[in-house]
Structures are given as C-alpha cells and as structure tokens.
Amino acid sequence: MNTYDVIVIGSGPAGNAAAYGFKEQGKKVAIIESDLWGGTCPNRGCDPKKMLMSGVEAQKRVSAMIGKGFKQVPNINWEDLMAFKRSYTDHVPENTKTGLDEAEIDRYQGQAEFVDAHNIMANDQTLSADQFLIATGQRPAVLPIDGSDLLQSSTDFLALEHLPKRVAFIGAGYIAFELAVIANAAGSEVHIIHHNERPLKEFDKELVDDLVNHLEAEGIHFHFNINTKSIELSQPNYKIVGEGFELMTDMVIGATGRVPNVEGLHLDRAGVAFDKRGIQVDEHLQTTQATIFACGDVLAKSQPKLTPVAGFEANYVVQAMKAGSTEKISYPLIPTIVFGDQRLARIGVSEKELAEHAKKYHSQTIDLSSWYTYQRINDQGATIKLVYDEQDQIVAITCLSQLADELINYLLLVLSKKMSHEEVAKYIFAYPSPASDLSYFI
C-alpha cells in the first residue's frame, strides 16, 4: 500500500494548486483524477468559453463602429473559432500531467472511493494518507423532465464541431447568457427559456433588464414564465414543450445550474457530511472528519462558485491543514461577471441582502454612455449603479458596459481598501481608461 502525507482528490484549479502547495511544504503528495487532468475550467468551462467569447468581442467592437469608419460586421467562422479554442484546450491535460510529474507529485487516474478516514481506493489501488483534500468541483445539473436524456450541456456546446442553425437554452443564469451570446454572434437563432421572469437573480434587476433588452435587440429570443415539461425528438429536430408553449429547435442545452461531484466518493465511509449543495465544512474548510478538508466548487457555501474563489480557498487550505493552524478563512470582496459584448459585473452586498433590508439602502444609477471613456468606443449602453447604506457608504456596485470587467476590478481595490475620494484623487491614471474615472464614483 502506498502511503502519503496528503492525498488530493481532483486536479482542477483548486486541487492542482493545493497539491503544489503541499509539495512545497516538503510533504509526500498524491493526486487522484477521475476525468480530464486540469479539471473543468480549463478543459470545458470558463477558459474555452472565453476563448470563443474573444471572437464575439472582436465582432461586436466592429459592429459598434459601423458608420464610424467601418461598413460591414465580420462574420464568425465557427470551425475556425473552435480550432482557436482547441489550440489551448487540447494541451491542458498533458501539460497538467507533465507539471505534476516534474514536481514529483504521484498521479492516479480513476474514481476515488473512501474506505475510511485514512484509506482510499483509486483504480483498484488502495492508498493511505494522514490527510485528504477533496476538490472535485461540480458538473451540469440535469433537469428532471420527460426527455431529459435529449438535453445537452455546456460541455457539449463547447465541443461543437459545427454550430446548429437553432439553439435553445433552458435556464437563465450566467452560463446560459454567455453561451447564448456566443451562439447568436456566430449566426444561430437563439432562444432562452426560463421558469420565471427574473433571470440572473444574483445581479441588480434594473441592469439585468437593460442587458436583456440589449440582447433582444441583438436577436436573442427570451421566453419567461415557461415551465418546461418535456423534450421530444422530432427527427432531426427537437420540440420543447411547456404549458401553452412549444418550440422547435436543433439543439437543447440544459443550463439549470450545477451539482457537486460527491457521488462515488463514498463520503459516508469517511464520516464526511454533505447535502445537495455540496460538502459541509467549517471556517477552516475542515469537514466533519478531522483528517479531511475540502475546497472549491464542491463546497456547500454561500460564496460564488468561481475559479478565482477556488484558487483562493486552495491557497488558504494548504496552510490551514498544517498542524497548529488556527486562522479562519476570511473571504475578500468577490467580483462576479457575466461576459459578453456588454458585460454585467457586480461586487458587494448580495442582491438577496439588499432586497431583504431594502429600507437600509438607497441607490444611484448613472448613464456612462456620454463619458469619454465609453463614448470613444460607442458604448451606448454603459451604466453603473451604486448602492449606499444609511451612512452613505458604498456597499454594492453593478456596472453594465463593454469595459465592466476592467472597471469592477478597479472598484474592487478601492472598496477593499476603503479609499476616500481624496485618496483616489492622489493617483494619476492612464487616460482614457476605466481607472481614470474612479474619482468620480467615490
């Protein structure tokens, strides 16, 4: 039996980073992966999605300048764009394995199954360790309806060799929005079907409505308050059936959330508690079993399940698993972004908290389209919304623009450091840029 100081389960961004961290501490480390080395994000998640989105961004930048130096919007060649994506993703598994091998971290391929709190099986081998770190992430949820086997997922979309003429997305979270933007820009007829009238519920409703209006103008069809009942095969197409609703399409993508990868681990044998949201941990990311910790998207947590958050937790847990460690994890402000030609970004107090205690807060919405930073790129939808508490301190910010991802990161630093207007005004930023506007917001 091979024995280790630490065994990491999952080779995604969190597990991989942690394995290297343990190795730097001089520990004997092994890592187990049941699927693609490197995990979801670089193989079939955020990284390939943003590779495809880069084509959309280039196209839309030209589109915004039609009549202002340009005459024609360029078409996206799906096959060429997918080849560009594969130029990155095709190398992820081998690069991940090579890096682990060079670091002398032992690798095991197969489903990890706990025997007890100190022993685990992987591909018919029994391994032993003093401690374990579970970082197995999530996978797409499957909507429990008739014909659910006909649903495809974001994984399938990101591997499409050829783009269908018609694509429908069931669900209206950030994954549905982003993939819909990509498909629409590449020439598909795109539909988003949602069971209520509130898409992107984690974001400010006013700016979400603006984004929906923008996407409708771009040709995306939204169907709200539709409870999907079934998917029917109507060769070679699919029929989506809801109450008083039918839609024919060439592909149906289920985008109704994600579920933690805990099945198959046999966590009960190791005394690790979990529920449908994920593995339960304390403020040290320690599970209900003292020898086992967990981090990343597999956790049952209130923080956003994002790759940067998983990396933050991995860096923390490497230190937390050392003997004598007592510092609790403390999360900083976490930005969340819906990518597209118009990006929706936010930081601060959650929309749920703002809604539940609405009397404590007031807000200001500013049209940025005439500000030079945005006017120069003809960003006609640029908007920012600032939410204040009873002491007139900014507690949440949502912005919608082509530059929202850049702006939210600058505002993240300003809010984290609790910088005043006078402090921000001491800096000279490159102009024109989102940073050069900061002093007008604070």
Side-chain angles (χ1 to χ4, degrees):
M1 181 189 300
N2 291 330
T3 301
Y4 297 90
D5 296 313
V6 183
I7 293 177
V8 178
I9 309 169
S11 71
N16 217 35
Y20 282 102
F22 294 130
K23 190 66 179 180
E24 289 173 2
Q25 292 176 348
K27 294 179 178 178
K28 185 180 180 183
V29 184
I31 188 166
I32 304 171
E33 175 57 58
S34 64
D35 195 6
L36 289 176
W37 289 92
T40 296
C41 178
N43 280 296
R44 51 170 75 107
C46 41
D47 287 357
K49 180 175 60 181
K50 290 181 178 65
M51 296 285 284
L52 299 181
M53 189 67 78
S54 65
V56 177
E57 293 164 353
Q59 181 198 62
K60 297 301 184 181
R61 286 285 291 112
V62 175
S63 178
M65 297 299 290
I66 295 299
K68 300 171 179 62
F70 292 86
K71 293 184 177 180
Q72 185 174 349
V73 178
N75 292 324
I76 292 175
N77 182 293
W78 182 260
E79 289 73 21
D80 289 348
L81 186 59
M82 286 296 290
F84 174 58
K85 183 218 74 167
R86 289 194 300 271
S87 70
Y88 173 79
T89 56
D90 284 357
H91 303 288
V92 170
E94 284 304 316
N95 288 346
T96 302
K97 290 190 286 186
T98 298
L100 292 167
D101 292 345
E102 291 177 349
E104 297 183 341
I105 296 170
D106 290 351
R107 292 187 292 107
Y108 295 89
Q109 181 81 49
Q111 174 63 51
E113 300 180 22
F114 278 100
V115 177
D116 54 39
H118 288 285
N119 296 282
I120 199 165
M121 289 189 66
N123 197 22
D124 297 327
Q125 297 185 70
T126 301
L127 312 174
S128 177
D130 295 329
Q131 292 178 307
F132 293 87
L133 175 64
I134 303 171
T136 48
Q138 299 182 108
R139 67 184 185 280
V142 178
L143 193 64
I145 57 174
D146 291 340
S148 60
D149 57 310
L150 301 175
L151 285 169
Q152 294 185 276
S153 69
S154 58
T155 298
D156 300 306
F157 180 90
L158 294 171
L160 283 174
E161 292 295 330
H162 307 287
L163 189 66
K165 291 183 179 180
R166 297 173 296 178
V167 183
F169 296 87
I170 299 178
Y174 74 94
I175 292 176
F177 268 68
E178 291 176 348
L179 298 186
V181 165
I182 293 169
N184 177 67
S188 280
E189 176 188 307
V190 177
H191 297 260
I192 292 179
I193 303 165
H194 193 48
H195 68 279
N196 61 33
E197 58 185 14
R198 181 68 169 91
L200 297 173
K201 63 182 180 180
E202 296 85 3
F203 291 82
D204 176 79
K205 184 180 185 304
E206 178 184 0
L207 269 64
V208 168
D209 289 345
D210 288 347
L211 177 58
V212 169
N213 291 336
H214 166 74
L215 295 180
E216 286 181 327
E218 291 292 308
I220 294 177
H221 306 274
F222 287 87
H223 308 276
F224 294 128
N225 293 312
I226 300 295
N227 281 312
T228 302
K229 301 294 185 181
S230 65
I231 311 295
E232 299 175 5
L233 180 61
S234 180
Q235 290 283 8
N237 307 312
Y238 301 92
K239 182 165 70 173
I240 302 171
V241 179
E243 192 171 327
F245 175 84
E246 289 187 359
L247 177 70
M248 295 296 295
T249 186
D250 302 313
M251 185 179 193
V252 188
I253 304 291
T256 51
R258 297 176 69 82
V259 294
N261 288 320
V262 294
E263 296 86 356
L265 290 173
H266 295 290
L267 296 175
D268 53 321
R269 298 176 185 171
V272 174
F274 65 96
D275 58 28
K276 64 180 181 179
R277 298 181 304 118
I279 294 175
Q280 298 172 14
V281 294
D282 64 13
E283 293 174 311
H284 299 88
L285 301 187
Q286 188 175 39
T287 71
T288 48
Q289 173 56 251
T291 59
I292 302 175
F293 291 71
C295 69
D297 291 357
V298 75
L299 297 185
K301 61 182 179 180
S302 58
Q303 289 77 19
K305 294 190 176 185
L306 303 169
T307 297
V309 180
F312 179 86
E313 291 168 347
N315 292 331
Y316 165 81
V317 81
V318 167
Q319 302 304 317
M321 289 173 68
K322 291 197 302 187
S325 176
T326 58
E327 184 178 355
K328 299 177 181 178
I329 190 168
S330 177
Y331 291 92
L333 283 174
I334 301 172
T336 52
I337 304 173
V338 180
F339 283 89
D341 60 305
Q342 285 290 98
R343 300 162 196 174
L344 182 66
R346 84 173 311 278
I347 52 172
V349 173
S350 70
E351 292 300 317
K352 181 180 179 181
E353 163 69 18
L354 295 177
E356 289 177 350
H357 302 91
K359 292 183 179 180
K360 292 173 52 179
Y361 304 106
H362 58 284
S363 64
Q364 176 188 20
T365 302
I366 305 171
D367 181 352
L368 300 176
S369 60
S370 63
W371 292 33
Y372 181 68
T373 300
Y374 304 91
Q375 188 177 27
R376 72 180 182 87
I377 58 174
N378 197 31
D379 190 353
Q380 297 181 358
T383 308
I384 188 169
K385 185 171 185 177
L386 309 171
V387 180
Y388 305 86
D389 63 15
E390 294 168 314
Q391 288 74 46
D392 285 331
Q393 298 295 311
I394 297 175
V395 295
I397 302 174
T398 305
C399 46
L400 176 67
S401 78
Q402 295 178 25
L403 305 175
D405 52 340
E406 296 180 43
L407 178 58
I408 207 69
N409 280 333
Y410 292 125
L411 290 167
L412 171 70
L413 292 174
V414 171
L415 264 62
S416 296
K417 297 296 183 181
K418 298 182 179 179
M419 298 174 69
S420 65
H421 169 81
E422 290 73 21
E423 289 173 309
V424 175
K426 290 179 181 178
Y427 292 89
I428 299 176
F429 296 100
Y431 173 86
S433 70
S436 64
D437 297 329
L438 285 177
S439 62
Y440 298 107
F441 300 129
I442 305 303

